[in-house]
Amino acid sequence: RKEVEQDPGPFNVPEGATVAFNCTYSNSASQSFFWYRQDCRKEPKLLMSVYSSGNEDGRFTAQLNRASQYISLLIRDSKLSDSATYLCVVHKGSRDDKIIFGKGTRLHILP
Amino acid sequence: DVKVTQSSRYLVKRTGEKVFLECVQDMDHENMFWYRQDPGLGLRLIYFSYDVKMKEKGDIPEGYSVSREKKERFSLILESASTNQTSMYLCASSDIRNQPQHFGDGTRLSIL
């Protein structure tokens, strides 16, 4: 099993719809989780951290399911500007561990 | 806001050349990273550094070296560029190892 796995997509979603995608991770000791957004030919940018209790930032909700070892990102009332690739990032949490990036899920919002 | 600056957005070099990619961050971050990103392969870690003068190999260090003489600057060196090193190169920094990394704009490098 890969350390971090994401459905590559693309997810083609009409504007205004709700879309959700998951990211699974293999190491149960993982402690820190993030979602990044990457626009075409640009650098990845932090979208939000994922907390154990789940967290919300406007139209975006991130959740962590430790039992099944996945994190999720839900986007409500999607906008054309949400079109991007969303990268899942996982860190085991001990001092010597590297952060692991997923390969990303491509999202296209259709007008 | 954290600012990570990469020296070039686009660079074209020839095979066999020695290539230097520079990265500077302005937030006094301890940790700096070099990645390359290729279609279908995602971000792959080349080298990283947790302190000045310190470097560690990432997942794909072959053909590359790095230098960190000052805390704010982390340089990636392609010793003898080859066509399979054509890629997008991204530098990142972070304050604490398990905290989010901040990326530079990237350097799109073409080796002819």
Side-chain angles (χ1 to χ4, degrees), chain A residues 38-42, chain B residues 6 8-12 21 37 39 85-90 105-111:
Chain A
Q38 185 172 23
D39 293 301
C40 189
R41 303 177 78 83
K42 295 287 187 71
Chain B
Q6 294 184 228
S8 306
R9 288 297 304 274
Y10 300 93
L11 204 54
V12 180
L21 302 183
Q37 188 174 34
Q85 292 179 309
T86 291
S87 186
M88 168 76 123
Y89 289 86
L90 288 155
D105 291 344
T107 296
R108 197 164 289 277
L109 175 64
S110 296
I111 307 296

mmCIF file with all atom_site columns, all heavy atoms in Angstrom, chain A residues 38-42, chain B residues 6 8-12 21 37 39 85-90 105-111:
data_model
loop_
_atom_site.group_PDB
_atom_site.id
_atom_site.type_symbol
_atom_site.label_atom_id
_atom_site.label_alt_id
_atom_site.label_comp_id
_atom_site.label_asym_id
_atom_site.label_entity_id
_atom_site.label_seq_id
_atom_site.pdbx_PDB_ins_code
_atom_site.Cartn_x
_atom_site.Cartn_y
_atom_site.Cartn_z
_atom_site.occupancy
_atom_site.B_iso_or_equiv
_atom_site.pdbx_formal_charge
_atom_site.auth_seq_id
_atom_site.auth_comp_id
_atom_site.auth_asym_id
_atom_site.auth_atom_id
_atom_site.pdbx_PDB_model_num
ATOM 1   N N   . GLN A 1 38  ? -3.103 23.299 -5.649  1.00 0.00 ? 38  GLN A N   1
ATOM 2   C CA  . GLN A 1 38  ? -2.102 23.674 -6.638  1.00 0.00 ? 38  GLN A CA  1
ATOM 3   C C   . GLN A 1 38  ? -2.805 24.020 -7.945  1.00 0.00 ? 38  GLN A C   1
ATOM 4   O O   . GLN A 1 38  ? -3.476 23.171 -8.546  1.00 0.00 ? 38  GLN A O   1
ATOM 5   C CB  . GLN A 1 38  ? -1.077 22.563 -6.872  1.00 0.00 ? 38  GLN A CB  1
ATOM 6   C CG  . GLN A 1 38  ? 0.049  22.974 -7.796  1.00 0.00 ? 38  GLN A CG  1
ATOM 7   C CD  . GLN A 1 38  ? 1.167  21.943 -7.891  1.00 0.00 ? 38  GLN A CD  1
ATOM 8   O OE1 . GLN A 1 38  ? 0.971  20.767 -7.627  1.00 0.00 ? 38  GLN A OE1 1
ATOM 9   N NE2 . GLN A 1 38  ? 2.374  22.384 -8.271  1.00 0.00 ? 38  GLN A NE2 1
ATOM 10  N N   . ASP A 1 39  ? -2.661 25.253 -8.379  1.00 0.00 ? 39  ASP A N   1
ATOM 11  C CA  . ASP A 1 39  ? -3.182 25.670 -9.675  1.00 0.00 ? 39  ASP A CA  1
ATOM 12  C C   . ASP A 1 39  ? -2.202 25.265 -10.758 1.00 0.00 ? 39  ASP A C   1
ATOM 13  O O   . ASP A 1 39  ? -1.006 25.065 -10.497 1.00 0.00 ? 39  ASP A O   1
ATOM 14  C CB  . ASP A 1 39  ? -3.401 27.184 -9.672  1.00 0.00 ? 39  ASP A CB  1
ATOM 15  C CG  . ASP A 1 39  ? -4.513 27.579 -8.710  1.00 0.00 ? 39  ASP A CG  1
ATOM 16  O OD1 . ASP A 1 39  ? -5.639 27.090 -8.899  1.00 0.00 ? 39  ASP A OD1 1
ATOM 17  O OD2 . ASP A 1 39  ? -4.240 28.335 -7.776  1.00 0.00 ? 39  ASP A OD2 1
ATOM 18  N N   . CYS A 1 40  ? -2.726 25.204 -11.974 1.00 0.00 ? 40  CYS A N   1
ATOM 19  C CA  . CYS A 1 40  ? -1.916 24.743 -13.107 1.00 0.00 ? 40  CYS A CA  1
ATOM 20  C C   . CYS A 1 40  ? -0.645 25.591 -13.239 1.00 0.00 ? 40  CYS A C   1
ATOM 21  O O   . CYS A 1 40  ? -0.708 26.827 -13.256 1.00 0.00 ? 40  CYS A O   1
ATOM 22  C CB  . CYS A 1 40  ? -2.745 24.810 -14.375 1.00 0.00 ? 40  CYS A CB  1
ATOM 23  S SG  . CYS A 1 40  ? -1.940 24.035 -15.777 1.00 0.00 ? 40  CYS A SG  1
ATOM 24  N N   . ARG A 1 41  ? 0.503  24.939 -13.273 1.00 0.00 ? 41  ARG A N   1
ATOM 25  C CA  . ARG A 1 41  ? 1.799  25.574 -13.466 1.00 0.00 ? 41  ARG A CA  1
ATOM 26  C C   . ARG A 1 41  ? 2.174  26.547 -12.340 1.00 0.00 ? 41  ARG A C   1
ATOM 27  O O   . ARG A 1 41  ? 2.971  27.463 -12.538 1.00 0.00 ? 41  ARG A O   1
ATOM 28  C CB  . ARG A 1 41  ? 1.844  26.281 -14.825 1.00 0.00 ? 41  ARG A CB  1
ATOM 29  C CG  . ARG A 1 41  ? 1.561  25.340 -15.984 1.00 0.00 ? 41  ARG A CG  1
ATOM 30  C CD  . ARG A 1 41  ? 1.548  26.091 -17.310 1.00 0.00 ? 41  ARG A CD  1
ATOM 31  N NE  . ARG A 1 41  ? 2.890  26.375 -17.774 1.00 0.00 ? 41  ARG A NE  1
ATOM 32  C CZ  . ARG A 1 41  ? 3.641  25.523 -18.441 1.00 0.00 ? 41  ARG A CZ  1
ATOM 33  N NH1 . ARG A 1 41  ? 3.209  24.299 -18.691 1.00 0.00 ? 41  ARG A NH1 1
ATOM 34  N NH2 . ARG A 1 41  ? 4.843  25.859 -18.869 1.00 0.00 ? 41  ARG A NH2 1
ATOM 35  N N   . LYS A 1 42  ? 1.577  26.338 -11.181 1.00 0.00 ? 42  LYS A N   1
ATOM 36  C CA  . LYS A 1 42  ? 1.911  27.167 -10.021 1.00 0.00 ? 42  LYS A CA  1
ATOM 37  C C   . LYS A 1 42  ? 2.399  26.266 -8.879  1.00 0.00 ? 42  LYS A C   1
ATOM 38  O O   . LYS A 1 42  ? 2.331  25.049 -8.967  1.00 0.00 ? 42  LYS A O   1
ATOM 39  C CB  . LYS A 1 42  ? 0.679  27.956 -9.557  1.00 0.00 ? 42  LYS A CB  1
ATOM 40  C CG  . LYS A 1 42  ? 0.163  28.973 -10.561 1.00 0.00 ? 42  LYS A CG  1
ATOM 41  C CD  . LYS A 1 42  ? 1.079  30.160 -10.634 1.00 0.00 ? 42  LYS A CD  1
ATOM 42  C CE  . LYS A 1 42  ? 0.543  31.286 -11.486 1.00 0.00 ? 42  LYS A CE  1
ATOM 43  N NZ  . LYS A 1 42  ? -0.589 31.978 -10.855 1.00 0.00 ? 42  LYS A NZ  1
ATOM 44  N N   . GLN B 2 6   ? 12.668 31.796 -5.497  1.00 0.00 ? 6   GLN B N   1
ATOM 45  C CA  . GLN B 2 6   ? 13.566 31.004 -6.337  1.00 0.00 ? 6   GLN B CA  1
ATOM 46  C C   . GLN B 2 6   ? 14.138 31.914 -7.419  1.00 0.00 ? 6   GLN B C   1
ATOM 47  O O   . GLN B 2 6   ? 13.439 32.787 -7.944  1.00 0.00 ? 6   GLN B O   1
ATOM 48  C CB  . GLN B 2 6   ? 12.812 29.814 -6.943  1.00 0.00 ? 6   GLN B CB  1
ATOM 49  C CG  . GLN B 2 6   ? 12.378 28.827 -5.875  1.00 0.00 ? 6   GLN B CG  1
ATOM 50  C CD  . GLN B 2 6   ? 11.721 27.590 -6.443  1.00 0.00 ? 6   GLN B CD  1
ATOM 51  O OE1 . GLN B 2 6   ? 10.678 27.187 -5.977  1.00 0.00 ? 6   GLN B OE1 1
ATOM 52  N NE2 . GLN B 2 6   ? 12.337 26.964 -7.440  1.00 0.00 ? 6   GLN B NE2 1
ATOM 53  N N   . SER B 2 8   ? 15.032 31.747 -10.564 1.00 0.00 ? 8   SER B N   1
ATOM 54  C CA  . SER B 2 8   ? 14.552 31.842 -11.944 1.00 0.00 ? 8   SER B CA  1
ATOM 55  C C   . SER B 2 8   ? 13.208 31.149 -12.076 1.00 0.00 ? 8   SER B C   1
ATOM 56  O O   . SER B 2 8   ? 12.980 30.124 -11.454 1.00 0.00 ? 8   SER B O   1
ATOM 57  C CB  . SER B 2 8   ? 15.536 31.167 -12.915 1.00 0.00 ? 8   SER B CB  1
ATOM 58  O OG  . SER B 2 8   ? 16.838 31.672 -12.759 1.00 0.00 ? 8   SER B OG  1
ATOM 59  N N   . ARG B 2 9   ? 12.317 31.695 -12.888 1.00 0.00 ? 9   ARG B N   1
ATOM 60  C CA  . ARG B 2 9   ? 11.066 30.999 -13.171 1.00 0.00 ? 9   ARG B CA  1
ATOM 61  C C   . ARG B 2 9   ? 11.250 29.992 -14.305 1.00 0.00 ? 9   ARG B C   1
ATOM 62  O O   . ARG B 2 9   ? 10.657 28.920 -14.301 1.00 0.00 ? 9   ARG B O   1
ATOM 63  C CB  . ARG B 2 9   ? 9.975  31.985 -13.579 1.00 0.00 ? 9   ARG B CB  1
ATOM 64  C CG  . ARG B 2 9   ? 9.439  32.849 -12.452 1.00 0.00 ? 9   ARG B CG  1
ATOM 65  C CD  . ARG B 2 9   ? 8.767  32.023 -11.360 1.00 0.00 ? 9   ARG B CD  1
ATOM 66  N NE  . ARG B 2 9   ? 7.687  31.172 -11.837 1.00 0.00 ? 9   ARG B NE  1
ATOM 67  C CZ  . ARG B 2 9   ? 6.430  31.560 -11.978 1.00 0.00 ? 9   ARG B CZ  1
ATOM 68  N NH1 . ARG B 2 9   ? 6.076  32.798 -11.733 1.00 0.00 ? 9   ARG B NH1 1
ATOM 69  N NH2 . ARG B 2 9   ? 5.512  30.717 -12.395 1.00 0.00 ? 9   ARG B NH2 1
ATOM 70  N N   . TYR B 2 10  ? 12.058 30.385 -15.291 1.00 0.00 ? 10  TYR B N   1
ATOM 71  C CA  . TYR B 2 10  ? 12.324 29.526 -16.439 1.00 0.00 ? 10  TYR B CA  1
ATOM 72  C C   . TYR B 2 10  ? 13.830 29.518 -16.702 1.00 0.00 ? 10  TYR B C   1
ATOM 73  O O   . TYR B 2 10  ? 14.481 30.555 -16.600 1.00 0.00 ? 10  TYR B O   1
ATOM 74  C CB  . TYR B 2 10  ? 11.601 30.019 -17.695 1.00 0.00 ? 10  TYR B CB  1
ATOM 75  C CG  . TYR B 2 10  ? 10.107 30.079 -17.540 1.00 0.00 ? 10  TYR B CG  1
ATOM 76  C CD1 . TYR B 2 10  ? 9.475  31.256 -17.141 1.00 0.00 ? 10  TYR B CD1 1
ATOM 77  C CD2 . TYR B 2 10  ? 9.319  28.954 -17.768 1.00 0.00 ? 10  TYR B CD2 1
ATOM 78  C CE1 . TYR B 2 10  ? 8.101  31.299 -16.982 1.00 0.00 ? 10  TYR B CE1 1
ATOM 79  C CE2 . TYR B 2 10  ? 7.940  28.999 -17.618 1.00 0.00 ? 10  TYR B CE2 1
ATOM 80  C CZ  . TYR B 2 10  ? 7.335  30.178 -17.221 1.00 0.00 ? 10  TYR B CZ  1
ATOM 81  O OH  . TYR B 2 10  ? 5.982  30.222 -17.058 1.00 0.00 ? 10  TYR B OH  1
ATOM 82  N N   . LEU B 2 11  ? 14.329 28.330 -17.041 1.00 0.00 ? 11  LEU B N   1
ATOM 83  C CA  . LEU B 2 11  ? 15.761 28.194 -17.284 1.00 0.00 ? 11  LEU B CA  1
ATOM 84  C C   . LEU B 2 11  ? 15.961 27.142 -18.360 1.00 0.00 ? 11  LEU B C   1
ATOM 85  O O   . LEU B 2 11  ? 15.323 26.078 -18.316 1.00 0.00 ? 11  LEU B O   1
ATOM 86  C CB  . LEU B 2 11  ? 16.434 27.757 -15.991 1.00 0.00 ? 11  LEU B CB  1
ATOM 87  C CG  . LEU B 2 11  ? 17.910 28.052 -15.748 1.00 0.00 ? 11  LEU B CG  1
ATOM 88  C CD1 . LEU B 2 11  ? 18.211 29.525 -15.917 1.00 0.00 ? 11  LEU B CD1 1
ATOM 89  C CD2 . LEU B 2 11  ? 18.298 27.574 -14.353 1.00 0.00 ? 11  LEU B CD2 1
ATOM 90  N N   . VAL B 2 12  ? 16.840 27.452 -19.315 1.00 0.00 ? 12  VAL B N   1
ATOM 91  C CA  . VAL B 2 12  ? 17.172 26.485 -20.362 1.00 0.00 ? 12  VAL B CA  1
ATOM 92  C C   . VAL B 2 12  ? 18.676 26.270 -20.341 1.00 0.00 ? 12  VAL B C   1
ATOM 93  O O   . VAL B 2 12  ? 19.451 27.237 -20.419 1.00 0.00 ? 12  VAL B O   1
ATOM 94  C CB  . VAL B 2 12  ? 16.727 26.981 -21.759 1.00 0.00 ? 12  VAL B CB  1
ATOM 95  C CG1 . VAL B 2 12  ? 17.098 25.950 -22.828 1.00 0.00 ? 12  VAL B CG1 1
ATOM 96  C CG2 . VAL B 2 12  ? 15.226 27.246 -21.773 1.00 0.00 ? 12  VAL B CG2 1
ATOM 97  N N   . LEU B 2 21  ? 20.440 26.130 -8.954  1.00 0.00 ? 21  LEU B N   1
ATOM 98  C CA  . LEU B 2 21  ? 19.128 26.698 -8.649  1.00 0.00 ? 21  LEU B CA  1
ATOM 99  C C   . LEU B 2 21  ? 19.181 27.227 -7.229  1.00 0.00 ? 21  LEU B C   1
ATOM 100 O O   . LEU B 2 21  ? 19.533 26.502 -6.299  1.00 0.00 ? 21  LEU B O   1
ATOM 101 C CB  . LEU B 2 21  ? 18.025 25.637 -8.779  1.00 0.00 ? 21  LEU B CB  1
ATOM 102 C CG  . LEU B 2 21  ? 17.883 24.945 -10.140 1.00 0.00 ? 21  LEU B CG  1
ATOM 103 C CD1 . LEU B 2 21  ? 16.706 23.980 -10.106 1.00 0.00 ? 21  LEU B CD1 1
ATOM 104 C CD2 . LEU B 2 21  ? 17.702 25.946 -11.250 1.00 0.00 ? 21  LEU B CD2 1
ATOM 105 N N   . GLN B 2 37  ? 8.795  18.113 -9.650  1.00 0.00 ? 37  GLN B N   1
ATOM 106 C CA  . GLN B 2 37  ? 7.424  17.679 -9.908  1.00 0.00 ? 37  GLN B CA  1
ATOM 107 C C   . GLN B 2 37  ? 7.272  17.387 -11.388 1.00 0.00 ? 37  GLN B C   1
ATOM 108 O O   . GLN B 2 37  ? 7.522  18.269 -12.225 1.00 0.00 ? 37  GLN B O   1
ATOM 109 C CB  . GLN B 2 37  ? 6.419  18.741 -9.465  1.00 0.00 ? 37  GLN B CB  1
ATOM 110 C CG  . GLN B 2 37  ? 4.982  18.272 -9.522  1.00 0.00 ? 37  GLN B CG  1
ATOM 111 C CD  . GLN B 2 37  ? 4.015  19.278 -8.943  1.00 0.00 ? 37  GLN B CD  1
ATOM 112 O OE1 . GLN B 2 37  ? 4.213  20.483 -9.057  1.00 0.00 ? 37  GLN B OE1 1
ATOM 113 N NE2 . GLN B 2 37  ? 2.941  18.793 -8.314  1.00 0.00 ? 37  GLN B NE2 1
ATOM 114 N N   . PRO B 2 39  ? 4.636  15.337 -14.398 1.00 0.00 ? 39  PRO B N   1
ATOM 115 C CA  . PRO B 2 39  ? 3.255  14.868 -14.605 1.00 0.00 ? 39  PRO B CA  1
ATOM 116 C C   . PRO B 2 39  ? 3.119  13.392 -14.239 1.00 0.00 ? 39  PRO B C   1
ATOM 117 O O   . PRO B 2 39  ? 3.921  12.557 -14.673 1.00 0.00 ? 39  PRO B O   1
ATOM 118 C CB  . PRO B 2 39  ? 3.043  15.093 -16.104 1.00 0.00 ? 39  PRO B CB  1
ATOM 119 C CG  . PRO B 2 39  ? 3.978  16.197 -16.456 1.00 0.00 ? 39  PRO B CG  1
ATOM 120 C CD  . PRO B 2 39  ? 5.181  16.002 -15.601 1.00 0.00 ? 39  PRO B CD  1
ATOM 121 N N   . GLN B 2 85  ? 16.508 15.387 -16.436 1.00 0.00 ? 85  GLN B N   1
ATOM 122 C CA  . GLN B 2 85  ? 16.359 16.333 -15.331 1.00 0.00 ? 85  GLN B CA  1
ATOM 123 C C   . GLN B 2 85  ? 15.513 17.543 -15.726 1.00 0.00 ? 85  GLN B C   1
ATOM 124 O O   . GLN B 2 85  ? 15.352 18.481 -14.937 1.00 0.00 ? 85  GLN B O   1
ATOM 125 C CB  . GLN B 2 85  ? 17.723 16.772 -14.814 1.00 0.00 ? 85  GLN B CB  1
ATOM 126 C CG  . GLN B 2 85  ? 18.472 15.637 -14.126 1.00 0.00 ? 85  GLN B CG  1
ATOM 127 C CD  . GLN B 2 85  ? 19.839 16.042 -13.635 1.00 0.00 ? 85  GLN B CD  1
ATOM 128 O OE1 . GLN B 2 85  ? 20.648 16.611 -14.392 1.00 0.00 ? 85  GLN B OE1 1
ATOM 129 N NE2 . GLN B 2 85  ? 20.126 15.752 -12.375 1.00 0.00 ? 85  GLN B NE2 1
ATOM 130 N N   . THR B 2 86  ? 14.977 17.514 -16.936 1.00 0.00 ? 86  THR B N   1
ATOM 131 C CA  . THR B 2 86  ? 13.986 18.525 -17.323 1.00 0.00 ? 86  THR B CA  1
ATOM 132 C C   . THR B 2 86  ? 12.760 18.345 -16.452 1.00 0.00 ? 86  THR B C   1
ATOM 133 O O   . THR B 2 86  ? 12.176 17.256 -16.406 1.00 0.00 ? 86  THR B O   1
ATOM 134 C CB  . THR B 2 86  ? 13.612 18.354 -18.807 1.00 0.00 ? 86  THR B CB  1
ATOM 135 O OG1 . THR B 2 86  ? 14.727 18.718 -19.604 1.00 0.00 ? 86  THR B OG1 1
ATOM 136 C CG2 . THR B 2 86  ? 12.418 19.222 -19.169 1.00 0.00 ? 86  THR B CG2 1
ATOM 137 N N   . SER B 2 87  ? 12.375 19.402 -15.744 1.00 0.00 ? 87  SER B N   1
ATOM 138 C CA  . SER B 2 87  ? 11.300 19.261 -14.766 1.00 0.00 ? 87  SER B CA  1
ATOM 139 C C   . SER B 2 87  ? 10.966 20.631 -14.174 1.00 0.00 ? 87  SER B C   1
ATOM 140 O O   . SER B 2 87  ? 11.628 21.629 -14.442 1.00 0.00 ? 87  SER B O   1
ATOM 141 C CB  . SER B 2 87  ? 11.746 18.309 -13.644 1.00 0.00 ? 87  SER B CB  1
ATOM 142 O OG  . SER B 2 87  ? 10.691 18.033 -12.748 1.00 0.00 ? 87  SER B OG  1
ATOM 143 N N   . MET B 2 88  ? 9.927  20.615 -13.332 1.00 0.00 ? 88  MET B N   1
ATOM 144 C CA  . MET B 2 88  ? 9.613  21.773 -12.472 1.00 0.00 ? 88  MET B CA  1
ATOM 145 C C   . MET B 2 88  ? 10.281 21.514 -11.127 1.00 0.00 ? 88  MET B C   1
ATOM 146 O O   . MET B 2 88  ? 10.049 20.469 -10.512 1.00 0.00 ? 88  MET B O   1
ATOM 147 C CB  . MET B 2 88  ? 8.097  21.884 -12.302 1.00 0.00 ? 88  MET B CB  1
ATOM 148 C CG  . MET B 2 88  ? 7.686  22.847 -11.212 1.00 0.00 ? 88  MET B CG  1
ATOM 149 S SD  . MET B 2 88  ? 7.853  24.558 -11.731 1.00 0.00 ? 88  MET B SD  1
ATOM 150 C CE  . MET B 2 88  ? 6.184  25.119 -11.472 1.00 0.00 ? 88  MET B CE  1
ATOM 151 N N   . TYR B 2 89  ? 11.091 22.469 -10.683 1.00 0.00 ? 89  TYR B N   1
ATOM 152 C CA  . TYR B 2 89  ? 11.778 22.335 -9.402  1.00 0.00 ? 89  TYR B CA  1
ATOM 153 C C   . TYR B 2 89  ? 11.165 23.310 -8.401  1.00 0.00 ? 89  TYR B C   1
ATOM 154 O O   . TYR B 2 89  ? 11.009 24.500 -8.685  1.00 0.00 ? 89  TYR B O   1
ATOM 155 C CB  . TYR B 2 89  ? 13.279 22.596 -9.564  1.00 0.00 ? 89  TYR B CB  1
ATOM 156 C CG  . TYR B 2 89  ? 13.965 21.482 -10.302 1.00 0.00 ? 89  TYR B CG  1
ATOM 157 C CD1 . TYR B 2 89  ? 14.009 21.462 -11.689 1.00 0.00 ? 89  TYR B CD1 1
ATOM 158 C CD2 . TYR B 2 89  ? 14.519 20.417 -9.606  1.00 0.00 ? 89  TYR B CD2 1
ATOM 159 C CE1 . TYR B 2 89  ? 14.610 20.411 -12.369 1.00 0.00 ? 89  TYR B CE1 1
ATOM 160 C CE2 . TYR B 2 89  ? 15.129 19.368 -10.268 1.00 0.00 ? 89  TYR B CE2 1
ATOM 161 C CZ  . TYR B 2 89  ? 15.168 19.368 -11.659 1.00 0.00 ? 89  TYR B CZ  1
ATOM 162 O OH  . TYR B 2 89  ? 15.756 18.318 -12.330 1.00 0.00 ? 89  TYR B OH  1
ATOM 163 N N   . LEU B 2 90  ? 10.821 22.779 -7.244  1.00 0.00 ? 90  LEU B N   1
ATOM 164 C CA  . LEU B 2 90  ? 10.169 23.574 -6.207  1.00 0.00 ? 90  LEU B CA  1
ATOM 165 C C   . LEU B 2 90  ? 10.980 23.538 -4.924  1.00 0.00 ? 90  LEU B C   1
ATOM 166 O O   . LEU B 2 90  ? 11.364 22.471 -4.448  1.00 0.00 ? 90  LEU B O   1
ATOM 167 C CB  . LEU B 2 90  ? 8.768  23.026 -5.937  1.00 0.00 ? 90  LEU B CB  1
ATOM 168 C CG  . LEU B 2 90  ? 7.750  23.282 -7.041  1.00 0.00 ? 90  LEU B CG  1
ATOM 169 C CD1 . LEU B 2 90  ? 6.648  22.247 -7.006  1.00 0.00 ? 90  LEU B CD1 1
ATOM 170 C CD2 . LEU B 2 90  ? 7.146  24.673 -6.905  1.00 0.00 ? 90  LEU B CD2 1
ATOM 171 N N   . ASP B 2 105 ? 7.878  29.910 -6.106  1.00 0.00 ? 105 ASP B N   1
ATOM 172 C CA  . ASP B 2 105 ? 7.095  29.879 -7.345  1.00 0.00 ? 105 ASP B CA  1
ATOM 173 C C   . ASP B 2 105 ? 7.477  28.741 -8.267  1.00 0.00 ? 105 ASP B C   1
ATOM 174 O O   . ASP B 2 105 ? 6.733  28.402 -9.189  1.00 0.00 ? 105 ASP B O   1
ATOM 175 C CB  . ASP B 2 105 ? 7.295  31.190 -8.122  1.00 0.00 ? 105 ASP B CB  1
ATOM 176 C CG  . ASP B 2 105 ? 6.655  32.365 -7.430  1.00 0.00 ? 105 ASP B CG  1
ATOM 177 O OD1 . ASP B 2 105 ? 5.823  32.134 -6.529  1.00 0.00 ? 105 ASP B OD1 1
ATOM 178 O OD2 . ASP B 2 105 ? 6.991  33.508 -7.776  1.00 0.00 ? 105 ASP B OD2 1
ATOM 179 N N   . GLY B 2 106 ? 8.641  28.157 -8.051  1.00 0.00 ? 106 GLY B N   1
ATOM 180 C CA  . GLY B 2 106 ? 9.084  27.058 -8.907  1.00 0.00 ? 106 GLY B CA  1
ATOM 181 C C   . GLY B 2 106 ? 9.985  27.547 -10.033 1.00 0.00 ? 106 GLY B C   1
ATOM 182 O O   . GLY B 2 106 ? 9.892  28.694 -10.480 1.00 0.00 ? 106 GLY B O   1
ATOM 183 N N   . THR B 2 107 ? 10.857 26.663 -10.477 1.00 0.00 ? 107 THR B N   1
ATOM 184 C CA  . THR B 2 107 ? 11.713 26.906 -11.634 1.00 0.00 ? 107 THR B CA  1
ATOM 185 C C   . THR B 2 107 ? 11.441 25.821 -12.651 1.00 0.00 ? 107 THR B C   1
ATOM 186 O O   . THR B 2 107 ? 11.591 24.635 -12.355 1.00 0.00 ? 107 THR B O   1
ATOM 187 C CB  . THR B 2 107 ? 13.207 26.869 -11.255 1.00 0.00 ? 107 THR B CB  1
ATOM 188 O OG1 . THR B 2 107 ? 13.496 27.932 -10.345 1.00 0.00 ? 107 THR B OG1 1
ATOM 189 C CG2 . THR B 2 107 ? 14.085 27.009 -12.505 1.00 0.00 ? 107 THR B CG2 1
ATOM 190 N N   . ARG B 2 108 ? 11.010 26.248 -13.822 1.00 0.00 ? 108 ARG B N   1
ATOM 191 C CA  . ARG B 2 108 ? 10.777 25.271 -14.895 1.00 0.00 ? 108 ARG B CA  1
ATOM 192 C C   . ARG B 2 108 ? 12.079 25.160 -15.678 1.00 0.00 ? 108 ARG B C   1
ATOM 193 O O   . ARG B 2 108 ? 12.455 26.078 -16.402 1.00 0.00 ? 108 ARG B O   1
ATOM 194 C CB  . ARG B 2 108 ? 9.624  25.732 -15.767 1.00 0.00 ? 108 ARG B CB  1
ATOM 195 C CG  . ARG B 2 108 ? 9.046  24.637 -16.625 1.00 0.00 ? 108 ARG B CG  1
ATOM 196 C CD  . ARG B 2 108 ? 7.672  25.020 -17.165 1.00 0.00 ? 108 ARG B CD  1
ATOM 197 N NE  . ARG B 2 108 ? 6.636  25.029 -16.160 1.00 0.00 ? 108 ARG B NE  1
ATOM 198 C CZ  . ARG B 2 108 ? 5.965  23.972 -15.743 1.00 0.00 ? 108 ARG B CZ  1
ATOM 199 N NH1 . ARG B 2 108 ? 6.226  22.784 -16.257 1.00 0.00 ? 108 ARG B NH1 1
ATOM 200 N NH2 . ARG B 2 108 ? 5.029  24.081 -14.836 1.00 0.00 ? 108 ARG B NH2 1
ATOM 201 N N   . LEU B 2 109 ? 12.764 24.052 -15.507 1.00 0.00 ? 109 LEU B N   1
ATOM 202 C CA  . LEU B 2 109 ? 14.085 23.835 -16.088 1.00 0.00 ? 109 LEU B CA  1
ATOM 203 C C   . LEU B 2 109 ? 13.985 22.905 -17.295 1.00 0.00 ? 109 LEU B C   1
ATOM 204 O O   . LEU B 2 109 ? 13.405 21.817 -17.185 1.00 0.00 ? 109 LEU B O   1
ATOM 205 C CB  . LEU B 2 109 ? 15.017 23.227 -15.038 1.00 0.00 ? 109 LEU B CB  1
ATOM 206 C CG  . LEU B 2 109 ? 16.412 22.811 -15.493 1.00 0.00 ? 109 LEU B CG  1
ATOM 207 C CD1 . LEU B 2 109 ? 17.218 24.032 -15.951 1.00 0.00 ? 109 LEU B CD1 1
ATOM 208 C CD2 . LEU B 2 109 ? 17.151 22.069 -14.385 1.00 0.00 ? 109 LEU B CD2 1
ATOM 209 N N   . SER B 2 110 ? 14.562 23.333 -18.388 1.00 0.00 ? 110 SER B N   1
ATOM 210 C CA  . SER B 2 110 ? 14.634 22.496 -19.592 1.00 0.00 ? 110 SER B CA  1
ATOM 211 C C   . SER B 2 110 ? 16.093 22.237 -19.904 1.00 0.00 ? 110 SER B C   1
ATOM 212 O O   . SER B 2 110 ? 16.893 23.175 -19.991 1.00 0.00 ? 110 SER B O   1
ATOM 213 C CB  . SER B 2 110 ? 13.985 23.198 -20.778 1.00 0.00 ? 110 SER B CB  1
ATOM 214 O OG  . SER B 2 110 ? 12.608 23.396 -20.561 1.00 0.00 ? 110 SER B OG  1
ATOM 215 N N   . ILE B 2 111 ? 16.411 20.965 -20.082 1.00 0.00 ? 111 ILE B N   1
ATOM 216 C CA  . ILE B 2 111 ? 17.773 20.576 -20.452 1.00 0.00 ? 111 ILE B CA  1
ATOM 217 C C   . ILE B 2 111 ? 17.732 20.079 -21.900 1.00 0.00 ? 111 ILE B C   1
ATOM 218 O O   . ILE B 2 111 ? 17.044 19.105 -22.215 1.00 0.00 ? 111 ILE B O   1
ATOM 219 C CB  . ILE B 2 111 ? 18.319 19.483 -19.524 1.00 0.00 ? 111 ILE B CB  1
ATOM 220 C CG1 . ILE B 2 111 ? 18.194 19.883 -18.049 1.00 0.00 ? 111 ILE B CG1 1
ATOM 221 C CG2 . ILE B 2 111 ? 19.765 19.148 -19.901 1.00 0.00 ? 111 ILE B CG2 1
ATOM 222 C CD1 . ILE B 2 111 ? 19.003 21.094 -17.661 1.00 0.00 ? 111 ILE B CD1 1
#
